[in-house]
Structures are given as structure tokens and as C-alpha cells.
Amino acid sequence: MWLQIDITVPAAGIDLVCHEMTELGSAGITVEERALDTFVVPDPDAEIPESLTLKAYFPPDIQQAELVEQLAERLAWLATLIPGLDPVVPEIRRIRAQDWAESWKQHFGIQRIGSRLVVRPSWEEYTPEPQDAVLTLDPGMAFGTGSHATTRLCLEALAELYETGPGPQRVLDVGTGSGILAVAAALLGARKVLGCDIDATACRVALDNARQNGVERQVAVTRDPLETLEGDFEVVLANILAEENARLAAELVNRLAVGGVLILSGILNEKEQLVIDAFDSCGLKGPDIRRQDEWSCLCYRKGA
């Protein structure tokens, strides 16, 4: 029996609340009758009401008491950023997996990101081209596909690095969550991918999804703090909030090899400058900025 949480959210705050639910370990999110998914761009002409009901689904083995405590903390913080958001923790209901997983199938189809990366739901048949790196997702298996543009922006930036030639071989995914970026890097050709996350559930799900996609030999996951990780990486990904990107600036750059690429996401447009200022003294080239909806992705390169 999965856990379902219904939250009424002002429309302007949907992306931010979705991001936080994903950080807490949500395995899938829908809004009203439309799935919010990393890979499906919402219809810009559709009318959006002032408030929407967000349904977040959590794996059955998650500690419910701990989840309630974390929800209370996150909602109290989000209420200071989103006018009209009620910080009261909603009721948590138990439902059968098929009650929500099946609903994804009408919204979630095959998506191509760049020329090589293909994202395929497990129930869709697909015959890959020779160069395709096919990432298989299964909401019913708690992949945690994400809920907004932040992951898509990261995937686009990552996929570009493998458009020609073998691409980077050592990749670090900070705040790996469900492991989608780590798995994508391995499928694209990285030989050594390390995902780090402070949440034990996220680490377990990330490893499960590496196995599901056949890249468990390339992908390792750790709960060790960023500052204790050894070695350097040709790509460092950090799809975390702007404030965390800024706070971890020095450690993120320290993990980056000379000539390496740093991809930062989870950044609201209005927080771009906060992150840029934090990395201004780090000696990096950039940033190249990508934007989708209210979110930004900053890409830097480390010079000699």
C-alpha cells in the first residue's frame, strides 16, 4: 500500500512544492487530472485555476512518522515563499500501487532528449536506433520521475556532452534523489558515476533504478557528505535548491576536474543571481544559462 498526500497549492507555487516533495522521496506526482512530469511540457494555452490539488505518492516502506515531521518543516518554509499556501500537514492515505501508477500511462510517453537520450516508460514498446541511450522509467516501481523543468534542463545539458565522441567518463550527481541523472549519465557512456544523497530511501531507489536500467556496475550511491568524497569528476550535477547550490559552491568546485563541467539546477529564475554571486569567485567560465518555466539551469566549465 502506497502513501498518498493531497495538497492544495496556489498555481504559482506548484513547481516549488513539487520539487520539495521529490526531495522528500516522492515516487510520483500528479496535479489535478494532469500528470506533472519531467519530460512532458505543459500546454501553454491551457487555463490554470488559482489553486490546484497536488497528489504526491510515497513508497510503502517509508517511515510515516518521519515523513509527517519532514512535511511539517517543508510546508512551514514553503508557506513563507508561496502566498496562500496552507502549512498544515494534510492527511496521509494508503492506496494500492495500481491506483496511481496506471493513471500515469495516459500522460507519459516516449521522449527524446538531444540526439541520443530516449526516455521510455516501461509499458511502451520502442525499437532503439544504434546510437540511442534508452532510459526506462516505471512509476509503479517508484522511479521518482520528477515533477518539473529542473530535471529536464539537467538532462538536456548532460546529453549535449555526449552528442559527439565518448563524452565525460567520471560523473558526480549531488542530491541524486531517484537517480535519474546518474542513470542517464551511465547510459550515455560514463564509466564511473557516483550519486550522493543524505536520504537513505533515495539512495536505495537510485540503486534499484540503476539495476533496472542495467548500469549497476557503473553507478555507485553514497550517503557520505560531499566534502568527504574522494577524487575529481569531469561532470558535477547538482539539481538542488538555489540556496544549497550557493552554500555548497566551494565543495562542488573542489570535486570538479580541470576542464570539467558543472551543471546546477533547481534554481528559481529570481534566484539566479544568488547562485551566480556564490560562484563568481570560483574561477569558472560561464555561466551558460538555460531556462524553462520558472526555473534556471546554470552551466560552468573549470579552466586550468
Side-chain angles (χ1 to χ4, degrees), residues 214-270:
V215 293
E216 63 270 26
R217 291 187 178 182
Q218 296 103 295
V219 177
V221 180
T222 181
R223 292 181 66 192
D224 293 343
L226 176 62
E227 62 271 16
T228 68
L229 302 183
E230 297 182 356
D232 57 14
F233 298 85
E234 295 167 84
V235 177
V236 174
L237 299 151
N239 184 16
I240 53 182
L241 292 179
E243 291 82 359
E244 286 298 287
N245 273 310
R247 182 179 69 83
L248 296 172
E251 295 299 335
L252 290 169
V253 174
N254 286 342
R255 302 283 82 74
L256 191 62
V258 172
V261 176
L262 177 63
I263 300 173
L264 309 173
S265 194
I267 303 165
L268 287 165
N269 294 159
E270 60 263 32

Side-chain angles (χ1 to χ4, degrees), residues 31-92:
V31 175
E32 295 294 326
E33 296 301 322
R34 298 174 297 114
L36 280 187
D37 181 71
T38 302
F39 310 104
V40 180
V41 180
D43 181 358
D45 298 323
E47 292 186 8
I48 301 177
E50 291 185 4
S51 293
L52 298 167
T53 299
L54 178 153
K55 298 179 186 292
Y57 302 93
F58 292 82
D61 58 350
I62 200 166
Q63 294 296 318
Q64 189 167 332
E66 182 179 349
L67 178 60
V68 169
E69 182 179 341
Q70 292 175 332
L71 279 169
E73 180 182 321
R74 298 292 178 102
L75 289 174
W77 174 71
L78 287 166
T80 67
L81 304 176
I82 305 170
L85 178 67
D86 187 348
V88 175
V89 177
E91 177 186 358
I92 297 178

Side-chain angles (χ1 to χ4, degrees), residues 149-173:
T150 60
T151 307
R152 171 103 193 189
L153 289 168
C154 277
L155 286 171
E156 289 175 350
L158 179 66
E160 280 188 7
L161 301 176
Y162 296 87
E163 288 288 312
T164 58
Q169 297 300 297
R170 305 186 311 280
V171 177
L172 173 64
D173 181 18

Side-chain angles (χ1 to χ4, degrees), residues 280-301:
D280 192 49
S281 61
C282 293
L284 302 177
K285 298 178 182 178
D288 294 324
I289 303 176
R290 303 163 181 264
R291 299 184 182 94
Q292 184 176 327
D293 302 328
E294 300 93 5
W295 299 91
S296 301
C297 177
L298 310 184
C299 297
Y300 290 90
R301 189 175 290 274

Side-chain angles (χ1 to χ4, degrees), residues 22 26 142-146 175-181 183 197 202 205-207 209-210:
T22 302
S26 173
F143 194 90
T145 57
T176 194
S178 61
I180 184 171
L181 298 176
V183 171
D197 204 294
V205 171
L207 286 174
N209 289 302

